[in-house]
Structure formats: C-alpha cells, structure tokens
Amino acid sequence: MARKNYSEEFCRQAVDLYESTPGASLKSIAADLGIERATLRRWVDLYGTGKKTAADGTTATRHVSSPDSGSPPETPEQKIARLEAENAALRADKTKLTTEREILRQAAKYFGRGDELVSRFQFVADQSTTYPVKRLCELVEIERSSYYAWVKAAPARQARAAADAALADRIRKVHTGDNTCGAPRITAELNDGAPADQRVNHKRVARVMRVNGIAGYRRRRKVRTTIPEPTDQKVPDLLNRDFTAPAPNQRYVGDITYLPLADGNNLYLATVIDCYSRRLAGWAIANHMRTELVTDALKAAQATRGTLTGAIFHSDHGSVYTSKDYARLCTELGVTQSMGAVGTSADNSLAESFNATLKREILQDDKTWPDETTCRRQTFRWLVRYNTHRRHSWCHYQSPTTYETSTATTLPSAA
C-alpha cells in the first residue's frame, strides 16, 4: 500500500533531494519517492530554499526581473557618455580581475600544504615584492595586522621548527626499535634518565609524531552495533529463522548498522522490515545508538502502517532493544518482541542482509561517505527507492510496495 501520511522530516528530505540532484525534475524525483508530482511541488513551495542544482552542477536561483522604471529615453549624448563610462569601468574590472586571477593562480600551490592559514601568510610574504601587501591580504582573506605579527614571530618559529626536527629524529630512533610504541611510551623512553631541562611533554611528542607521520601500531577495531545488556526480561525467539509471513504487518525484523564517514565518525541506521514483502516500513538515522534511535524507527513503522497491534518484532540482543523504554513502547503499540540467540547473526539474517545490500549498492567501491550530509541524502534516496522502485528477488523482481499491492488487496492489521 502507498504511504499516505508523511512526516515533516520526510517532506524536507524529499525537497532537499530534488534541489540537490543535478538536472532532476519534479516528475523524476516524485517517481523515485513513489509520490505524486503535485505533492512534491507543494512540498517544494512550502519547504524549498529557492535554489536548484542544474545539470552541470551549478546552483541557480530564480530571479524576478524588475519592471521598467518608466524614466524618459536618454539623448544620444547621454547614451554615448553612459557607454563610455561603462566601457571604462569594464576595462578597470578586467585589469583588476586579470591581476587577481594571476595572484590566485600563483597562490594555488601554497594551499595544498596542510595548514591553509600558514600557507596564506607565506604566500603574501613571497609575493610582497611583486604586489602590494594590502591587496594580497584582501585576496587571501587575512588581516594585515595578523600577517605582520606572523612576520615578526618568524625567528621564534624557526627556532621551534629546528627543535621539533631534532625531537623527531630522537622519536624515530625509539620508534624504529619498536614500532608498536605510541606517544606515551616514546615520551617515557625519551625522559628516562634525561636531565630536567631536557625532558619533553607527552603532548609535544604526540604533536611531533602526528606532523611527521609517526604512529604506533593499532589493530583496526570493528564497529560494534550490537552491545548486549544484562536484563531480567527473557524474550523468546518467535521466528526461529523463519523470515516469512502469510500477510503484511504481521512479522517484522530490525537491526542497527553503522554508516562510516570519511572523518572517522559514523552515523547509525535503525530499520523495521516486513517479513512478508521485505518492505522497509520504518527507519531512523542518527549520530548515536541510544534507545531513541530504535524507538523512532518503530514509531515510523507505526505511522506507515497505521497500527502495529498484534505484530511481532524480531531483533538481536542489543542494549537498545533490551531496554525498558523500548519494551514499554512495544507494549503501548501492541507489538510482541522476539530475539535470537546472543552472538548468532544467522538468527537475524534478513536484517543483516538488508544492511549489507544498502552499503554495497550505495558505496560500491568506496569505503566511506565523504560527509554526513551526503550520507543522509544518499541513504534517504536509496531507502525510499528500495520500497518503491528496487526490484527484489523475494518479490518476484517487483518492488516491495508493488508486491504488497499486487498480492494483498487490503492491508490487514496484524492478528
């Protein structure tokens, strides 16, 4: 069945997807999301920013041309004077832009050295004999007073750099002997038996190691999204690895998976999947794994279905699923909890398979999303298309919503 009630967050995400997709039309995005074009048009009018990404990747803003002021026509002399003034202004702008382009072209090589602010100062210093310092500072957006303070501190900076280079050599000798050593152990090694005036601070050692690419060995830890929590509540396994259902809205499975970002952080996705059609009835994305994540997903499923009374929800033994708050919500919604054995992924393989498919199809050869906004945007689009367009082998290569529509004329409440 098509979803009739949409949350404000869903509407805003749909509008963001339309505005950020290069060259997309209202019709194509509405089709992707399984909604009417007029509905998306109404959301754009209500929540849109007025900016649209064109096919070439540029952002265009609609402008309304101002009406004619109604002033009297200019004389030939006035027109010549105006055109000469405009021509002179254009020549001046061309000269200014040519100079700026040449300055910025030369500046490009400085801005790839890591510390962009220091690179700007260095660029102004190197070009100060060719162009005025004032103009250079304006172009690279730094204060002249800050630049002159940087120049004044050059001798002290050079002395610190020499001292850091000498310390880096000492660190490398220790690290070469044992590459598992991190900053604390290397600091202890350097300070062992050293006079008080030669002892170094562990923060300085860590900084010098980071700048010089020296690091102790660390085994990459796998992100855990299933964290068992002891509980007095005993929840049986009501599915026993049978991930089928005779009708929609009777059996659901769910899980939490991490969405890795390029900066080393993660977002987390919680799902509620109908065993009958594999439809994603509810989901939630957040930057945490607190109980609110899974309760929001279950509430979204309840909003999609209208009621979950009598349904079974199957999960693993993660702490959020065994929490009292989640159990209380299940009771309020008339949902019966079911859980597989601890540490056995096969007992929730349907949800695990869904998570793997999502990451494989969105990331493909990439390991991470570049940033949080892109991750949320791409995941939202895939989740909606999964329900409305992606052909699923379980559904005889129909989309889950199409499969439900074609096999169940009415959506029964869970019994």
Side-chain angles (χ1 to χ4, degrees), residues 15-38:
V15 172
D16 175 72
L17 182 63
Y18 164 71
E19 293 183 339
S20 64
T21 302
S25 64
L26 286 168
K27 181 179 180 180
S28 64
I29 296 299
D32 281 350
L33 301 181
I35 60 178
E36 296 293 330
R37 179 185 180 280

Side-chain angles (χ1 to χ4, degrees), residues 230-249:
T231 178
D232 294 331
Q233 181 186 14
K234 300 299 181 181
V235 178
D237 184 349
L238 302 178
L239 300 190
N240 294 314
R241 303 187 184 181
D242 177 11
F243 303 110
T244 64
N249 202 30

